[in-house]
Amino acid sequence: MSDTVLKKFISTYLNTDVAIITLVTIGLITIITIIAYSLERRISRSSPSYQRITVHMVEGLILALSMIMLQQIFHILNNGSIDNGWLYANAQLTILLYCMYLIRNKITLIINILMPFVYHSTFNMDRLDNKHLPFFILSYILLILIVLFIYRQTEKLQNSEWKYLIMQLLFGLSWWILIWVDHSFPIYEIINMLVVFLIYMSVIRFCERKLQDTMLNYNDLQVQANYDELTGIRNRASLDKASDELYNTYSQEKVPLTVAMFDIDHFKEFNDKYGHSTGDEVLKHVAHTIEREMFLTDTKGQLFRFGGEEFIIIFRGKTPQECVSIITDLRNTLLNTPLILNGQRLDVSISFGISKLTTSDNSFNDLFNRVDKYLYESKNSGRNRLTVEGKTYDFNDIK
């Protein structure tokens, strides 16, 4: 008897179709995760409504396509029959629930709520004559409540393994009662289906965590490679990567590209008088003040730390003359925002060199060398000055 039960279990739950559907499910969830992360990084709460709606619709479309793809693969494996339908159902339920946790937008919420009416043979009115109709209504109400609760409490659920498990169990139970209403299999089989569903979700949760760790590590590597560790702004490596693209794009266009280079006046004195830790604080103060002011005034400039106390700002679509007023405002903001450190007031000034990309430049380095030269003209003229295309100005003389 025990051998017969074991063989039945193996033939039902440990066969090739189970392995294929499981791998396909994991693959689809991996693809959904990567696309969702990529899309969500492009928007924020401050993004325009049309951008957020577009991203959410794309995410909903990806979920719908994943469900259709899973259905097609299942029918191919079963030659169009519905044998082992529990396998297909659990795989779809896994994707539906997983996307509720991952994507968290109203499109996903609506898909989860409407799915019982488009699932397999349920898109008909036959169940209205079914004696199990009350079970369908109660289970559907339970499903709606669970989906709404998950939608509103996603982060809390993910931080609690027990709450996460209970929601999985209730979600699976409500769905399997809905399926039972339409297909009338022995009710005790619901327990088996729930166990399989929980196993599916455990496997997917494990894979999700590994995938998230991998993506977070990748993001960390990107940050380390492209952002300055001390100041948090883009570094020279990031500038080097962008320089060829900038040259190739703007050397062929009539749209101007202006580069401004500045450094901190008498920076060595901060290190010698107060120590290198104070010098580091001065660097962070300058970077954060300039970056914040650029963001608040929407200058459309991009700030890089070139090295030491030297920084570069790239202005796309602006001439040097248009940048003079912007840079003057940045310098004035920095001058009017002294660094208070250990009760000591530290006034920081900066010197600038500015130039634009010309048709005679053979590479970005030609532009950079010219800007670097103009910066040193400002420093040699007494610092706290600005040199634009070879002409030096005192900031106090600029109106």
Side-chain angles (χ1 to χ4, degrees):
M1 181 68 178
S2 59
D3 290 341
T4 303
V5 173
L6 180 61
K7 289 180 180 178
K8 182 179 179 181
F9 177 84
I10 292 174
S11 64
T12 304
Y13 298 108
L14 298 178
N15 54 53
T16 304
D17 287 355
V18 173
I20 293 174
I21 289 294
T22 302
L23 291 175
V24 168
T25 304
I26 293 173
L28 288 173
I29 282 178
T30 301
I31 293 171
I32 292 171
T33 302
I34 293 173
I35 295 176
Y37 271 106
S38 300
L39 290 173
E40 292 294 337
R41 287 177 62 183
R42 297 176 181 271
I43 60 170
S44 64
R45 291 183 178 180
S46 60
S47 298
S49 318
Y50 73 89
Q51 286 187 0
R52 287 184 279 114
I53 292 172
T54 300
V55 167
H56 292 166
M57 290 183 68
V58 170
E59 289 173 334
L61 179 62
I62 292 168
L63 171 56
L65 290 175
S66 298
M67 302 291 280
I68 293 171
M69 186 180 298
L70 195 60
Q71 181 186 47
Q72 295 303 313
I73 292 173
F74 172 77
H75 284 307
I76 291 171
L77 290 175
N78 287 272
N79 296 318
S81 73
I82 59 170
D83 293 337
N84 294 324
W86 62 271
L87 174 63
Y88 160 61
N90 270 328
Q92 284 204 324
L93 298 188
T94 300
I95 292 178
L96 280 171
L97 181 56
Y98 175 76
C99 286
M100 278 296 301
Y101 286 109
L102 174 69
I103 300 178
R104 305 181 221 173
N105 64 47
K106 291 181 180 179
I107 302 295
T108 307
L109 175 67
I110 292 171
I111 290 175
N112 266 273
I113 290 176
L114 296 182
M115 195 64 191
F117 293 99
V118 297
Y119 180 82
H120 194 51
S121 63
T122 59
F123 192 59
N124 56 56
M125 304 301 290
D126 291 345
R127 65 164 60 94
L128 295 179
D129 299 325
N130 194 312
K131 64 180 179 180
H132 300 310
L133 177 61
F135 291 101
F136 174 84
I137 295 173
L138 291 175
S139 296
Y140 184 59
I141 292 173
L142 176 62
L143 178 64
I144 292 176
L145 294 175
I146 293 167
V147 168
L148 290 173
F149 184 78
I150 293 174
Y151 178 74
R152 296 177 180 275
Q153 304 291 327
T154 299
E155 292 184 2
K156 291 182 179 179
L157 291 174
Q158 288 181 324
N159 293 330
S160 172
E161 292 295 335
W162 282 107
K163 290 180 181 178
Y164 190 84
L165 180 62
I166 290 172
M167 284 300 104
Q168 288 180 45
L169 186 62
L170 292 176
F171 180 87
L173 178 62
S174 59
W175 254 107
W176 273 107
I177 293 176
L178 291 174
I179 296 172
W180 168 74
V181 168
D182 287 320
H183 297 282
S184 300
F185 50 80
I187 194 167
Y188 64 83
E189 287 288 347
I190 291 178
I191 298 175
N192 293 338
M193 300 303 101
L194 281 176
V195 170
V196 174
F197 174 64
L198 293 178
I199 293 173
Y200 255 77
M201 286 302 302
S202 298
V203 172
I204 296 304
R205 188 158 168 78
F206 173 81
C207 295
E208 172 208 9
R209 286 179 171 176
K210 292 298 180 183
L211 182 60
Q212 286 184 346
D213 289 343
T214 300
M215 296 183 73
L216 288 174
N217 289 336
Y218 175 74
N219 289 336
D220 289 343
L221 288 174
Q222 279 195 317
V223 169
Q224 292 173 17
N226 295 293
Y227 289 84
D228 179 57
E229 183 178 0
L230 177 64
T231 62
I233 64 174
R234 292 182 179 275
N235 58 19
R236 181 170 180 171
S238 179
L239 176 63
D240 290 342
K241 290 178 182 177
S243 60
D244 288 340
E245 179 187 348
L246 289 169
Y247 177 77
N248 293 332
T249 300
Y250 287 91
S251 62
Q252 306 298 324
E253 299 287 342
K254 294 182 180 180
V255 178
L257 175 73
T258 297
V259 173
M261 187 175 186
F262 70 91
D263 75 359
I264 301 170
D265 295 332
H266 306 292
F267 179 73
K268 187 175 182 297
E269 294 182 10
F270 288 112
N271 283 329
D272 293 344
K273 186 174 181 179
Y274 302 105
H276 287 282
S277 60
T278 297
D280 289 345
E281 292 301 319
V282 170
L283 287 169
K284 289 191 285 186
H285 172 68
V286 170
H288 296 167
T289 302
I290 296 295
E291 187 175 46
R292 181 180 66 249
E293 187 66 15
M294 287 171 60
F295 173 77
L296 292 175
T297 55
D298 193 24
T299 62
K300 294 181 171 59
Q302 195 169 25
L303 179 64
F304 300 81
R305 183 185 177 193
F306 187 72
E309 70 272 26
E310 295 180 329
F311 298 81
I312 282 180
I313 306 176
I314 294 176
F315 295 99
R316 294 173 170 84
K318 293 186 181 295
T319 65
Q321 289 69 33
E322 290 173 323
C323 294
V324 168
S325 60
I326 295 173
I327 287 169
T328 301
D329 290 340
L330 293 176
R331 173 262 185 188
N332 291 341
T333 298
L334 180 64
L335 207 61
N336 294 326
T337 313
L339 173 62
I340 308 298
L341 194 63
N342 299 323
Q344 182 77 32
R345 175 190 171 114
L346 302 179
D347 293 304
V348 183
S349 65
I350 51 181
S351 299
F352 272 91
I354 303 178
S355 185
K356 73 172 183 177
L357 186 66
T358 66
T359 54
S360 61
D361 291 327
N362 295 316
S363 68
F364 188 84
N365 282 336
D366 289 345
L367 170 59
F368 168 75
N369 291 334
R370 190 165 58 252
V371 173
D372 186 47
K373 174 187 173 185
Y374 294 160
L375 169 61
Y376 277 89
E377 288 181 11
S378 295
K379 293 166 68 72
N380 293 333
S381 299
R383 292 185 170 85
N384 195 24
R385 283 169 168 75
L386 170 67
T387 298
V388 185
E389 301 295 12
K391 186 174 181 179
T392 302
Y393 303 87
D394 188 311
F395 274 113
N396 295 323
D397 296 334
I398 299 175
K399 297 182 180 180

